[in-house]
Amino acid sequence: MAARFKVIIPARFASTRLPAKPLADIGGKPMVVRVMERALASGAEEVWVATDHEGVRDAVLAAGGKALMTRADHPTGTDRLAEVVTTLGWAPGEIVVNVQGDEPLIDPVVIRQVAEALAADVNAEIATAAHPITSVDEFLNPAAVKVVCEKNGHAQYFSRAPIPFPRDAALAGALLPGKPLPAGLLPLRHVGLYAYRVGFLKAFATLTPAPTEQTEMLEQLRALWHGYQIRVETLGEAPPAGVDTPEDLARVRAFFAANNN
């Protein structure tokens, strides 16, 4: 039986590199509406946009979507989701997928995959995604977050450092930019797409930040530090990149223009 799940799209108006990003026009529609359309295509029971800006809310409502105003001072996106599920009164066992508001090319199938991975894993409170890393350059890049998993598919650790670290290959000089990955090294790059059980979202706001979280600047390490299990769904390939810069926006606009969307 297909998993039942809902989607929340956090859409903060402020952005250092791309002001008013959620309202950026992409083929005649605001970016946040493009993301909402992708989420609706995933088969989610409900899709809500959570925003701190009336203009974003109004754009979503004008497109026939659902939007909720949230506080502007949440320290993390997960805290914003916790406010939404509390306001809407969703039950602790329900599954919620957090789809970022700057992912207008996200694959609806991947949204459903992550939700179904959590639904099938009774020991996990969170599910996320990863894909194989194919180059040493990506492996060494601190902007590419890596994840190492246990045999059952639960995350052991996330890091900006290259993990698992191939000691012998590094000592032999094989871990250099431009070179192929050492034989047998199968690193995974984390994809920032999450499914949560509502009960965990409500508990998250009460958890103290983890030392590892503060060192790596990776919010998901708080869950691991407090003993929660994170299921990792491995994708066959990297999903399309989101929109962080004017260059990214131009790329996405060109995609929609080429595909008549």
Side-chain angles (χ1 to χ4, degrees), residues 164-250:
F165 189 75
R167 185 198 64 175
D168 292 347
L171 290 174
L175 199 64
L176 296 173
K179 287 197 171 186
L181 287 171
L185 179 63
L186 302 171
L188 293 173
R189 179 171 182 169
H190 179 230
V191 175
L193 177 68
Y194 293 96
Y196 303 97
R197 299 192 196 278
V198 166
F200 168 80
L201 281 173
K202 292 180 177 179
F204 181 84
T206 70
L207 301 178
T208 56
T212 49
E213 170 194 3
Q214 295 173 318
T215 299
E216 296 259 19
M217 297 304 294
L218 295 174
E219 179 186 331
Q220 62 269 36
L221 291 175
R222 186 184 313 182
L224 292 183
W225 196 69
H226 284 278
Y228 290 95
Q229 298 284 347
I230 302 177
R231 176 78 185 191
V232 179
E233 179 77 1
T234 302
L235 309 177
E237 59 184 10
V243 176
D244 288 320
T245 66
E247 292 75 20
D248 292 334
L249 182 58

Side-chain angles (χ1 to χ4, degrees), residues 127-191:
T128 190
H131 66 82
I133 289 175
T134 58
S135 71
V136 169
D137 298 72
E138 185 178 16
F139 185 54
L140 296 177
N141 182 0
V145 177
K146 276 69 68 174
V147 59
V148 171
C149 299
E150 301 171 347
K151 65 179 181 179
N152 59 8
H154 290 159
Q156 285 184 300
Y157 193 65
F158 296 84
S159 182
R160 299 184 183 279
I163 58 170
F165 189 75
R167 185 198 64 175
D168 292 347
L171 290 174
L175 199 64
L176 296 173
K179 287 197 171 186
L181 287 171
L185 179 63
L186 302 171
L188 293 173
R189 179 171 182 169
H190 179 230
V191 175

